[in-house]
């Protein structure tokens, strides 16, 4: 019989962790986040597993244990015919940042950065909690609080690598004014679960922005990609961008070779993602939310149409809450965004796999449960209907059949102790077993 994990160590070692870092914020005295090159950002619990049981807040905020969508679907402003697959939607826009520099630097149309900048300059927000490349180790991420335009511009671009932005929420609590939070869908879901427990955090979260996510590759994925490009020593990497500086942008790595010469390699977005997606963490395969259902605003690429090299970048923007709707309309009015209301069909066109993905998640969870493995508990996130209606019989059978292979290949029956890295420039080898 499967069960929901009852401590954070189980979440991490049975690969249900998404690496958000919320548990480390909830219990900083006993939980810290480390980089495990095989899986991603992972929590380390000081003391035994029974110690973790004594502080349940870490489990209450963990999206690897449970997610609950408590949206009031009786709200007449919600577009209900898309809600079951894509979550709460009040309005759908397509457009881009009015600021050319922000638009160019961003991953698509620079929407998240432009909205963050609007909140700082017009709404009196103090800062933006998000993720940036580590200056000393560019293939790793760090949580940062940006308060200036220069900081936002320097930290643009998607990071297809492990990140734990929730571990920095204390910076929001200590800020003098409200802040923006930008993260993956699972990160934003963790923020929403955490703010229900922490009034001091809740009053400082001014806006949450999630970006569409197809999964998080491990650090090992980036290291192997670098190696395929001839970068055998990651310590020589000076900068790394996964995309941005154009739409959709290129994977670009700059490094110093063994002879001391500056070198640069790049790949197209499609080439780099085709390589990295094979390294996605297991939790992404049982994730019910790839489009930021828990955020005030969700942004993504308008993949419903072919992107040409001449295009400068556009974003889809979904207003999910009244707060999100207000910020989007005000940013448009005040000239920070160029947006147009978009026809609803472009959302399924941009993320056509979403309904099938939800159905596959239901099948995978049932199969994992039958095998007696721990699984998350999802409430208010319809999955079974997509399993029943959207998946053909061969796909249903495939969902069950592939689980057996993945359980074996990913060693889901065995605990996988977290291996932290104390020397981050040598992340290709675990040096600290915890």
């Amino acid at each position: 019989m499967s069960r929901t994990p009852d401590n954070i160590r189980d979440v991490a070692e049975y690969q249900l962790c998404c690496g958000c870092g919320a548990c480390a914020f909830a219990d900083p005295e006993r939980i810290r986040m480390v980089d495990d090159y095989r899986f991603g950002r992972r929590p380390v619990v000081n003391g035994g597993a029974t110690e973790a049981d004594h502080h349940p807040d870490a489990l209450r905020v963990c999206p690897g244990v449970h997610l609950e969508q408590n949206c009031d679907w009786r709200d007449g402003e919600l577009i209900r015919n898309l809600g079951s697959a894509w979550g709460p939607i009040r309005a759908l826009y397509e457009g881009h940042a009015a600021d050319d520099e922000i638009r160019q630097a961003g991953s698509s149309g620079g929407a998240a950065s432009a909205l963050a900048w609007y909140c700082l300059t017009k709404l009196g927000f103090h800062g933006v909690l998000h993720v940036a490349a580590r200056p000393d180790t560019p293939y790793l991420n760090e949580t940062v609080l940006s308060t200036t335009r220069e900081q936002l511009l320097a930290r643009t671009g998607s990071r297809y690598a492990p990140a734990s932005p929730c571990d920095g929420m204390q910076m929001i609590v200590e800020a003098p004014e409200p802040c923006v939070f930008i993260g993956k869908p699972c990160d934003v879901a963790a923020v929403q679960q955490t703010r229900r427990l922490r009034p001091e955090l809740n009053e400082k979260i001014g806006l949450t922005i999630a970006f569409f996510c197809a999964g998080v590759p491990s650090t090992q994925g980036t290291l192997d990609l670098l190696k395929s490009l001839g970068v055998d020593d990651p310590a020589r990497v000076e900068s790394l961008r996964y995309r941005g500086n154009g739409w959709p942008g290129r994977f670009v790595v700059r490094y110093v070779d063994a002879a001391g010469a500056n070198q640069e390699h790049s790949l197209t977005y499609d080439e780099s993602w085709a390589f990295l997606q094979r390294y996605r963490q297991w939790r992404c395969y049982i994730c019910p939310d790839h489009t930021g259902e828990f955020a005030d605003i969700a942004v993504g690429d308008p993949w419903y149409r072919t992107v040409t090299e001449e295009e400068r970048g556009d974003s889809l923007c979904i207003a999910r809450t009244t707060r999100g709707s207000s910020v989007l309309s005000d940013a448009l009015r005040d000239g920070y965004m160029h947006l147009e209301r978009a026809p609803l069909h472009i959302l399924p066109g941009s993320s056509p796999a979403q309904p099938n993905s939800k159905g596959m998640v239901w099948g995978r969870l049932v199969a994992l449960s039958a095998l007696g493995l721990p699984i998350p508990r999802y409430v208010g996130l319809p999955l079974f209907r997509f399993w029943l209606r959207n998946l053909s019989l061969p796909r249903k059978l495939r969902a069950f059949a592939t689980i057996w292979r993945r359980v074996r290949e990913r060693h889901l029956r065995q605990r996988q102790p977290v291996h932290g890295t104390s020397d981050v420039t040598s992340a290709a080898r675990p040096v600290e077993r915890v």
Side-chain angles (χ1 to χ4, degrees), residues 137-304:
T137 316
Y139 57 86
L140 297 180
N141 291 325
E142 65 177 355
T143 304
V144 295
L145 186 72
S146 294
T147 59
T148 68
R149 171 187 168 85
E150 291 70 28
Q151 289 173 337
L152 282 175
L153 280 171
R155 296 160 172 173
T156 57
S158 297
R159 300 287 300 170
Y160 295 117
S164 54
C166 295
D167 64 2
M169 288 191 290
Q170 188 60 33
M171 288 188 278
I172 294 180
V173 172
E174 295 173 357
E177 301 295 338
C179 294
V180 179
F181 180 93
I182 301 177
K184 304 182 300 296
C186 53
D187 300 329
V188 174
V191 169
Q192 303 296 47
Q193 295 185 155
T194 306
R195 67 194 300 184
R196 296 188 193 116
L197 299 180
R198 299 293 179 87
E200 69 276 17
L201 174 67
N202 184 53
E203 67 181 20
K204 292 292 181 66
I205 299 265
L207 185 76
T208 58
I209 301 175
F211 43 83
F212 290 12
C213 177
V216 180
S218 66
T219 304
Q220 186 64 61
T222 295
L223 294 174
D224 287 352
L225 179 55
L226 291 175
K227 186 175 293 186
S228 74
L229 295 173
V231 186
D232 294 322
D233 183 359
R236 294 183 175 274
V237 174
E238 294 193 331
S239 69
L240 189 154
R241 283 185 68 102
Y242 290 86
R243 59 178 297 196
N245 289 328
W247 188 32
R250 297 180 66 87
F251 175 93
V252 180
V253 56
R254 295 184 175 92
Y255 67 101
V256 178
D257 65 18
N262 294 321
Q263 302 286 351
E264 176 179 306
H265 290 307
S266 75
L267 296 170
T268 67
Y269 167 76
D270 289 338
E271 289 170 337
S272 61
W273 178 245
F275 188 99
L276 291 169
Q277 61 89 20
R278 295 176 292 166
Y279 292 82
R280 285 174 292 177
Q281 61 185 355
W282 172 246
R283 171 62 173 73
C284 298
Y285 288 90
I286 53 173
C287 177
D289 174 23
H290 295 282
T291 60
E293 296 187 21
F294 294 87
D296 292 312
I297 298 172
V299 298
D301 289 278
W303 295 131
Y304 70 93

Side-chain angles (χ1 to χ4, degrees), residues 90-98 103 111 302 304-305 313-319 328-329 331-333 336-344 346-347:
R90 294 175 181 273
L92 177 65
Y93 297 89
E94 182 176 354
H96 55 264
R103 183 184 186 185
Y304 70 93
R305 56 189 174 86
D314 280 315
S315 301
L316 290 183
C317 298
I318 303 175
L328 274 171
S329 60
L332 172 62
R333 180 199 63 202
Y336 280 68
M337 295 285 296
H338 292 320
L339 296 170
E340 293 184 359
R341 291 293 288 262
L344 297 179
I346 73 171
L347 182 55

Side-chain angles (χ1 to χ4, degrees), residues 41-187:
R41 295 284 289 172
R42 289 295 179 265
V44 172
V45 181
N46 301 326
T50 55
E51 290 287 329
D53 295 340
H54 297 158
H55 194 78
D57 282 0
L59 280 176
R60 291 191 183 117
V61 303
C62 176
V65 173
H66 76 282
L67 286 176
E68 181 174 356
Q69 176 59 268
N70 54 11
C71 170
D72 184 0
W73 292 105
R74 296 170 298 179
D75 188 333
E77 293 186 4
L78 293 176
I79 302 171
R80 297 190 60 180
N81 63 317
L82 293 178
S84 57
W86 285 275
I89 302 172
R90 294 175 181 273
L92 177 65
Y93 297 89
E94 182 176 354
H96 55 264
D99 185 303
D100 286 340
E101 197 172 9
I102 292 177
R103 183 184 186 185
Q104 171 68 14
S107 292
S108 49
S113 298
L115 291 168
W117 179 231
Y118 176 72
C119 289
L120 292 182
T121 56
K122 289 293 186 179
L123 302 185
F125 284 28
H126 172 72
V128 182
L129 192 74
H130 61 135
V131 167
R134 286 184 55 158
D136 60 338
T137 316
Y139 57 86
L140 297 180
N141 291 325
E142 65 177 355
T143 304
V144 295
L145 186 72
S146 294
T147 59
T148 68
R149 171 187 168 85
E150 291 70 28
Q151 289 173 337
L152 282 175
L153 280 171
R155 296 160 172 173
T156 57
S158 297
R159 300 287 300 170
Y160 295 117
S164 54
C166 295
D167 64 2
M169 288 191 290
Q170 188 60 33
M171 288 188 278
I172 294 180
V173 172
E174 295 173 357
E177 301 295 338
C179 294
V180 179
F181 180 93
I182 301 177
K184 304 182 300 296
C186 53
D187 300 329

